DNA sequence: AAATAATTTAAACACTCGTTTAAATTAAAC
DNA sequence: GTTTAATTTAAACGAGTGTTTAAATTATTT
């Protein structure tokens, strides 16, 4: 079965890169299989359909990231002092950067896939994530809410989605923005530098008092 | 020429609604023309191509919104007291809501189109907006920068793009989020309520001190 | 009213898409 | 080594896409 998993992996590797770059519906199976140097029909043979391939691509990252992320959050919860919001957000940086060890550019690819998925799939991805990784999400949401107890739950719902938009849009266009920043300001940032820039922005927005 | 502009308008009206709901590439010309009750070929006759139709749909809003928005910013600039960041952002609310007078649901449609456009078209929309409406954008960026002089230009560049992501992602999925908020918290927000929720978030993020 | 221009229409074109089929090939089991 | 199962392959299918064409219709101009 060496060839089987080899073909599956080649498909997943090619697909995630193309999905992140061009979006799901803009990426044809023919483009994926030609980049992966496998036969067109092997996608349907190994994954059943394009939709299931998309889910497999996302799951490969979520299965690694989600447990690592909620581990970090749980560690903060058991610490003697209550974690600040910025500490909670910063605790996700390592799990995110560890995805680069999984595959080259993994951090950026994962965040771009997340963004594309949330926008393209009319709610399907939201359902997929909440049903498969809901426990991990709940731990994170609870920790964030506890760090900003002055924010009502409904308001926090909106602010966490504002935050999702911030991170996801930023990462989807991080490469282009880095080019502009380099040309305009002489800055040369990598993905980690951008993540560390965005955390104070998000933390301030999430915790700003209501009606001020 | 009554029929000519009538057909053009019918196409634009049907297209913008479908584009906002399903995205550009997910909306076929056949769906647009059947909703508009015009012939399929009339899109190419009146607009040349689907890509030019998309631009026409966006331009119909941008031509109204952009001058109105920079008018508001200029009025703040001539006021006796320096405008706060939240005042600057809030000054865009009226121009946004005035789009509802243009067409039913205009505000929501415009913001969703903006979000879809920025995400779907790999940089094409960014180029289209900066080249056609760059002067209006510059006035806005200058006003925001002046309201937060403690933020270096390079940092402000990043934060304004964080903000673009926040607003664009939120609006692209505003309907879905509103449905969830209604089901989960009994909240029934319209587009104005969401806009007024996101402004404090963005203002706090843009102006938070660096390295804090 | 006749001639010209603008618009609408139905049909077809050329292409891409995801998926399926059945035969060929390779691997595993007995 | 033969049989059985798993995988790969080339080809085709049916449906959907944006666009083009040329004739029919409508509006405008002379």
């Amino acid at each position: 079965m060496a060839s089987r998993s080899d073909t599956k992996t080649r498909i997943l590797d090619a697909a995630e890169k193309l999905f992140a770059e061009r979006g799901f519906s803009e990426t044809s199976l023919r483009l994926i299989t030609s980049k992966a140097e496998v036969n067109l029909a092997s996608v349907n043979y190994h994954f059943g359909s394009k939709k299931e391939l998309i889910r497999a691509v996302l799951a490969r990252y979520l299965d690694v990231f989600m447990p690592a992320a909620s581990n970090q959050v749980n560690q903060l919860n058991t610490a003697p002092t209550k974690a600040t919001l910025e500490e909670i957000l910063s605790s996700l940086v390592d799990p995110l950067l560890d995805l680069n060890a999984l595959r080259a550019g993994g951090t950026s690819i994962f965040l771009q896939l997340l963004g594309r998925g949330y926008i393209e799939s009319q709610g399907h991805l939201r359902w997929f994530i909440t049903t498969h990784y809901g426990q991990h999400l709940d731990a994170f949401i609870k920790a964030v809410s506890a760090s900003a107890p002055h924010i009502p739950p409904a308001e926090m719902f909106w602010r966490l989605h504002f935050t999702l938009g911030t991170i996801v849009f930023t990462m989807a266009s991080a490469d282009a923005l880095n080019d502009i920043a380099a040309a305009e300001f002489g800055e040369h940032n990598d993905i980690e530098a951008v993540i560390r820039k965005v955390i104070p922005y998000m933390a301030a927005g999430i915790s700003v008092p209501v009606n001020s």
Side-chain angles (χ1 to χ4, degrees), chain A:
Chain A
M1 311 229 308
S3 62
R4 168 185 195 153
S5 58
D6 189 53
T7 298
K8 278 183 91 165
T9 304
R10 295 175 69 83
I11 293 172
L12 288 168
D13 289 346
E16 69 172 30
K17 218 172 281 189
L18 292 166
F19 284 155
E21 283 171 11
R22 329 156 117 261
F24 299 110
S25 68
E26 306 289 331
T27 304
S28 69
L29 296 184
R30 283 170 177 81
L31 182 57
I32 293 171
T33 52
S34 76
K35 286 268 180 190
E37 294 179 318
V38 301
N39 188 272
L40 167 63
S42 57
V43 171
N44 294 82
Y45 177 77
H46 285 290
F47 297 95
S49 67
K50 184 182 181 181
K51 191 172 271 182
E52 290 173 84
L53 170 62
I54 294 173
R55 282 217 296 264
V57 165
L58 284 164
R60 201 160 63 138
Y61 278 104
L62 289 168
D63 288 344
V64 174
F65 172 74
M66 283 294 189
S70 67
N71 263 357
Q72 294 278 351
V73 172
N74 289 338
Q75 278 186 21
L76 284 178
N77 277 345
T78 60
T81 60
K82 209 176 84 174
T84 67
L85 177 52
E86 203 151 334
E87 282 172 345
I88 296 171
L89 296 179
S90 297
S91 77
L92 302 182
V93 174
D94 280 346
L96 276 177
L97 294 179
D98 286 347
L99 300 177
N100 277 328
L102 216 67
R103 272 176 296 284
T107 303
S108 172
I109 289 174
F110 170 61
L111 288 171
Q112 288 178 243
L113 289 173
L114 215 60
R116 303 261 182 210
Y118 260 93
I119 291 155
E120 271 194 44
S121 77
Q122 287 277 17
H124 298 155
L125 177 65
R126 181 175 283 114
W127 176 88
F128 176 70
I129 289 184
T130 50
T131 55
H132 283 77
Y133 308 92
Q135 43 184 354
H136 300 116
L137 282 181
D138 288 344
F140 174 74
I141 294 174
K142 249 182 79 176
V144 170
S145 302
S147 81
H150 56 294
I151 308 297
E155 189 72 26
M156 185 59 84
F157 164 84
W158 283 101
R159 293 190 177 181
L160 285 177
H161 277 93
F162 298 159
T163 302
L164 184 63
T166 308
I167 187 81
V168 140
F169 180 90
T170 298
M171 294 310 156
S173 43
D175 291 344
L177 293 180
N178 259 330
D179 290 347
I180 301 174
E184 204 129 336
F185 306 103
E187 279 196 3
H188 291 279
N189 300 302
D190 54 9
I191 187 83
E192 180 175 359
V194 178
I195 292 175
R196 299 217 178 268
K197 268 186 201 299
V198 78
I199 284 178
Y201 176 97
M202 302 189 301
I206 291 174
S207 61
V208 67
V210 182
N211 298 329
S212 80

